Amino acid sequence: MTFEPARTAPADPQAPHTGSAPGPETTGITVPSFGWTGVAIALHRLQQQPTASIVVVRQADHLPLVVDVETNAYWWDTPLTAFPAEPVDIDVVVEAKDPAVEASRPPGTDLDALLWLIGNNSFLGELAWWLQRDDRYKLVRWPNFTMLTHTPEQMRMTAMLGYTFLPVGELANASESDPAEARRLVNAFSLMRLLRAESPEPAAVAAGGSSSSSASSASSSSGPDHVRVAPQPRRGGLFSRLRDRLGL
């Protein structure tokens, strides 16, 4: 698939903002967007660096989508039941809030259900750029699945993330899920700010490397009969017990 950057929105054209600090230069910038991926990046940036800004998404055949991360609300005439998973001709622009316009807006809709859809339909099934493959993730609160269109597979993975910290790859293996679906789920929960992450301890990583080197040396000295076998999952282990307990 070939990614095409978003068209310049009706604002003074500027280069995409790449700095780490928020400021007035965020007004009117156009975020390069690859479908919903550009929207996810813009929203995550504002979540990490709160500013008096909104995200405006313009796409063909739809009225603009306006998202206010600060108030956790959005405005859109398109119902989420008609959410375009593959949007066409999309612009993603971060704009400063206009007090007069904001005062005239009706109450917005809670953002979680929209973030769920954006997270599941961005990054083409790869892990979001701000997440680390080796980090372990756990839910900080249970999502309101009555508001979210979901599958039994997503429920299984969610139950495991609610129980313990897991890397994305292990989450897929333990729940017998497609790795791409595990990444989509983690992307969505991250965008909804429902995840806590733990990074591997440097000492553990170093110890792992040392053990690997020692095992390699031992293998060389012991001859071809000495083979280091990766641990295999045992029946009745943690995840089997967890699946039984949750009825999965």
Side-chain angles (χ1 to χ4, degrees):
M1 177 176 290
T2 301
F3 290 150
E4 296 182 359
R7 292 181 294 107
T8 303
D12 293 336
Q14 301 180 36
H17 177 61
T18 57
S20 58
E25 68 273 16
T26 59
T27 303
I29 66 168
T30 299
V31 179
S33 62
F34 318 131
W36 290 108
T37 297
V39 182
I41 292 170
L43 293 175
H44 180 260
R45 178 179 296 169
L46 289 183
Q47 288 174 347
Q48 303 306 305
Q49 305 169 354
T51 63
S53 301
I54 55 175
V55 174
V56 180
V57 182
R58 297 178 177 89
Q59 57 182 300
D61 301 323
H62 292 269
L63 291 176
L65 162 64
V66 177
V67 181
D68 186 343
V69 170
E70 188 177 21
T71 62
N72 200 55
Y74 75 92
W75 294 262
W76 202 17
D77 286 355
T78 300
L80 295 188
T81 52
F83 181 85
E86 298 181 359
V88 177
D89 200 18
I90 188 170
D91 294 326
V92 187
V93 182
V94 180
E95 299 179 353
K97 292 183 182 180
D98 183 331
V101 174
E102 296 302 314
S104 66
R105 286 192 202 281
T109 303
D110 184 85
L111 196 49
D112 276 2
L114 177 63
L115 295 178
W116 167 258
L117 291 173
I118 292 174
N120 271 285
N121 289 280
S122 56
F123 296 98
L124 299 178
E126 296 301 325
L127 203 59
W129 296 347
W130 58 84
L131 299 175
Q132 301 300 316
R133 182 185 61 186
D134 294 331
D135 281 358
R136 301 184 303 153
Y137 301 98
K138 187 176 187 293
L139 285 175
V140 296
R141 65 176 174 85
W142 191 263
N144 183 1
F145 273 126
T146 61
M147 298 172 52
L148 311 176
T149 302
H150 60 280
T151 65
E153 182 181 36
Q154 290 171 327
M155 283 290 290
R156 288 199 306 271
M157 291 188 286
T158 301
M160 291 186 172
L161 288 175
Y163 184 78
T164 188
F165 281 94
L166 288 170
V168 179
E170 191 171 338
L171 171 65
N173 291 336
S175 62
E176 300 178 351
S177 300
D178 185 326
E181 292 306 310
R183 292 190 290 266
R184 291 180 190 275
L185 182 84
V186 170
N187 289 349
F189 284 158
S190 173
L191 203 56
M192 295 165 72
R193 293 181 278 190
L194 295 184
L195 288 182
R196 183 170 52 167
E198 282 189 350
S199 298
E201 292 291 338
V205 174
S210 176
S211 299
S212 177
S213 299
S214 299
S216 177
S217 299
S219 176
S220 299
S221 60
S222 302
D225 292 335
H226 185 87
V227 179
R228 183 171 180 270
V229 180
Q232 299 296 313
R234 295 180 299 173
R235 294 182 60 84
L238 169 63
F239 298 117
S240 296
R241 295 197 303 272
L242 177 58
R243 283 195 292 266
D244 291 342
R245 181 179 302 177
L246 296 172
L248 301 175

